[in-house]
């Protein structure tokens, strides 16, 4: 007569269906709780990302307007300067005066152009920093939350 070992995992006598359903229920409850927690974290992250994108777009729009206004000012200044130079050229009485006037205009335009370029560069840099700030702050916050978890 064969004896049944109760500690044998493959024996049918060691199989208790009530323990299996209890284990399965625990496993399902833990899985559901983890899923809810993961969903809540994902939802929060998506909301924060949405706010970050919105802030970035608004800042970029404002910055592009600021840069556009700066460019319009540059164009206006250059147009006024060129018209004033044309008027001065019409009053020239000698070739020497023409060369002197033209040389002076070119030198002044070069200086003004350098200043205008610096001004636009500074404005662009400020705008870029403002646009990047929300994303940078969000990335730092996300990294700190990963470190904490």
């Amino acid at each position: 007569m064969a004896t049944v070992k109760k500690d044998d995992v493959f024996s049918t006598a060691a199989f208790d269906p009530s323990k299996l359903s209890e284990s399965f229920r625990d496993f399902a409850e833990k899985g559901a709780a983890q899923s809810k927690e993961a969903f809540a974290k994902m939802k929060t992250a998506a909301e924060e990302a949405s706010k970050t994108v919105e802030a970035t777009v608004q800042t970029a729009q404002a910055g592009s307007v600021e840069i556009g206004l700066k460019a319009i000012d540059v164009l206006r200044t250059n147009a006024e300067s060129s018209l004033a130079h044309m008027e001065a050229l019409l009053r020239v009485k000698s070739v020497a005066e023409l060369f002197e006037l033209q040389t002076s205009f070119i030198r002044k335009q070069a200086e003004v152009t350098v200043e205008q370029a610096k001004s636009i560069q500074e404005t662009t840099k400020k705008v870029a920093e403002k646009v990047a700030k929300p994303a940078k702050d969000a990335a730092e916050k996300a990294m700190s939350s990963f470190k904490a978890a």
Side-chain angles (χ1 to χ4, degrees), residues 6 15 33 35 40 52 55 68 72 75 77 81 99 108 113 116 121-123 128-130 140:
K6 293 197 179 204
F15 180 72
S35 294
T52 299
I72 290 170
L75 292 172
T77 301
S81 177
F99 282 118
K108 183 179 177 190
T113 301
Q116 290 170 338
Q121 181 183 20
E122 288 172 6
T123 303
E129 289 171 354
K130 286 179 188 176
E140 287 174 356

Side-chain angles (χ1 to χ4, degrees), residues 52 55-56 59 127-140:
T52 299
T56 301
T59 303
V127 168
E129 289 171 354
K130 286 179 188 176
V131 168
K133 187 172 181 354
K136 181 182 173 188
D137 292 347
E140 287 174 356

